[in-house]
Amino acid sequence: MNEPIIRVRDIAWIRLQSPDLDQAEKFLTDFGMAKAGRTGNALYMRGTDAEHHIHITELGPPKVLSIGFHADSERDLQRLAEQASGASGVETINEPGGGKRVRLSEHNGFGIEVVHGLDRVSALPVQRFKFNTGPDRRRLGEVTRVSVAPSQVKRIGHAVISTPDIKQSVAWARRHLGFTPSEEVHDEADQNELLASFIHADRGKEFVDHHIMMFGRHATAGLNHVSFEVQDIDDLWAGHEWLINQKHRHCWGIGRHLLGSQIFDYWNDPWGRLHEHWTDSDRVNADHPYRLVPRSEGLRSQWGPQAPQEFRDAASK
Ligand SMILES: [Fe+2]
């Protein structure tokens, strides 16, 4: 494998296009984000961590525009601009939060933005409760009272792309973004038929989420889902109840994934783009042994419902 052009630090945002910014803001607020800014033609939403924003909605017909990733330095942006075929130059981002970026296309034509130098903001206060579970007795002389309310989205975690050619997609992501596979899933009968590839940011010995992207095999290319970390399982369940009460459309959950181990819950936005809440991901580093597993040991829930057809077919354009 050739050396990657750069190794990105983390995922930065999803950029969608939607025909009604008020409706987008209502869904994303119910989903548990806070408004970071709004202009005449775009909405910027944040989590409780210190990133300026993690979700962008531009006004227009429903469309998935791009996924953003953080580079370590402006020098890395320059390297991408010089070495990645079809890349833009280093551009100044003329949006709230500022920063610079390079625009690329993933091999299916999917928009990728690599960014650096965005404004940081103060983290928002978070409500979490202590648990008295197993041998841990941490809540002493206090009671727990969880209200049904929007989850408190902490950060963006990963994006999953449906693609007809997983090997090409992974090769593109390795070369341009420096990602490395954590675990991959093959067809039960044929080890060479890849069904899914879970890849993580290569940060050496530093532990990172089990996957920052996942590629799943599908007849057409598109966004399967975008995923956001919430504070804990109480926060996930409270947000689940809130989204039901607000009549948003549920897709799948609550359960625990096998690969990545996250406790998950999937929701449709008003235009059918899947947004995931999760908590408690596996964390891996360069010492993590790569594994190739058959479907029966990969794509299932450890507990909770198995994936419905609607989820398996999701490939938003
Ligand atoms: Fe996910």
Side-chain angles (χ1 to χ4, degrees):
M1 191 73 205
N2 292 334
E3 266 294 289
I5 300 173
I6 66 165
R7 292 177 171 83
V8 302
R9 178 167 57 76
D10 204 354
I11 186 168
W13 60 54
I14 184 80
R15 187 185 294 270
L16 301 177
Q17 190 169 278
S18 304
D20 184 329
L21 293 187
D22 289 338
Q23 210 180 341
E25 186 176 335
K26 163 76 173 135
F27 169 75
L28 293 168
T29 304
D30 286 339
F31 189 76
M33 294 182 206
K35 184 158 66 178
R38 185 162 162 179
T39 64
N41 59 5
L43 168 69
Y44 302 85
M45 301 294 285
R46 63 170 292 185
T48 59
D49 279 3
E51 309 298 337
H52 185 278
H53 55 270
I54 56 175
H55 192 295
I56 304 166
T57 309
E58 296 186 10
L59 187 61
K63 193 173 177 191
V64 179
L65 295 174
S66 55
I67 304 167
F69 295 96
H70 291 288
D72 277 329
S73 66
E74 198 169 327
R75 176 76 198 107
D76 277 356
L77 296 188
Q78 284 161 3
R79 284 166 61 90
L80 263 184
E82 286 160 13
Q83 295 182 37
S85 68
S88 72
V90 178
E91 304 172 334
T92 297
I93 303 176
N94 186 23
E95 289 181 304
K100 298 204 168 168
R101 74 172 169 199
V102 172
R103 286 176 294 112
L104 309 163
S105 291
E106 182 260 354
H107 92 104
N108 287 303
F110 210 89
I112 302 287
E113 299 171 78
V114 180
V115 304
H116 179 69
L118 282 102
D119 293 345
R120 304 270 295 171
V121 289
S122 299
L124 297 176
V126 167
Q127 185 176 47
R128 297 187 71 224
F129 296 99
K130 299 170 195 154
F131 285 80
N132 286 332
T133 51
D136 296 325
R137 296 290 186 258
R138 297 189 183 176
R139 192 176 69 254
L140 304 172
E142 299 172 35
V143 299
T144 285
R145 298 291 181 270
V146 182
S147 339
V148 171
S151 297
Q152 305 160 91
V153 167
K154 175 177 165 59
R155 56 185 276 267
I156 185 168
H158 60 260
V160 170
I161 303 292
S162 297
T163 176
D165 188 338
I166 292 182
K167 287 179 181 169
Q168 281 292 331
S169 290
V170 172
W172 189 93
R174 293 188 81 154
R175 163 102 179 118
H176 295 85
L177 305 173
F179 295 153
T180 185
S182 309
E183 297 182 276
E184 295 186 310
V185 181
H186 66 78
D187 183 85
E188 210 70 23
D190 183 353
Q191 279 224 357
N192 289 316
E193 281 290 312
L194 266 195
L195 300 180
S197 178
F198 296 77
I199 54 183
H200 65 267
D202 180 359
R203 308 303 292 169
K205 293 281 187 188
E206 182 189 336
F207 282 95
V208 297
D209 286 350
H210 174 272
H211 52 279
I212 188 168
M213 287 188 93
M214 190 272 250
F215 292 106
R217 195 177 73 181
H218 195 270
T220 57
L223 179 74
N224 176 268
H225 70 268
V226 58
S227 185
F228 299 89
E229 183 178 0
V230 299
Q231 307 295 329
D232 58 25
I233 192 166
D234 269 326
D235 196 41
L236 186 132
W237 265 111
H240 176 93
E241 300 283 341
W242 179 264
L243 286 159
I244 287 175
N245 292 350
Q246 299 300 311
K247 311 269 190 283
H248 295 294
R249 194 156 65 83
H250 190 235
C251 173
W252 178 29
I254 295 170
R256 191 185 272 278
H257 286 309
L258 186 54
L259 300 189
S261 304
Q262 303 96 334
I263 296 172
F264 64 83
D265 193 25
Y266 290 88
W267 292 85
N268 284 281
D269 84 350
W271 301 279
R273 283 83 58 103
L274 287 179
H275 287 56
E276 178 186 14
H277 279 154
W278 63 262
T279 184
D280 192 27
S281 171
D282 291 340
R283 302 275 283 174
V284 300
N285 68 5
D287 297 331
H288 181 78
Y290 164 79
R291 290 195 323 139
L292 174 65
V293 299
R295 183 191 184 97
S296 57
E297 292 173 37
L299 300 181
R300 63 178 179 82
S301 304
Q302 299 189 55
W303 52 256
Q306 302 302 325
Q309 197 62 39
E310 179 195 4
F311 177 81
R312 287 187 266 150
D313 285 345
S316 298
K317 296 285 187 190

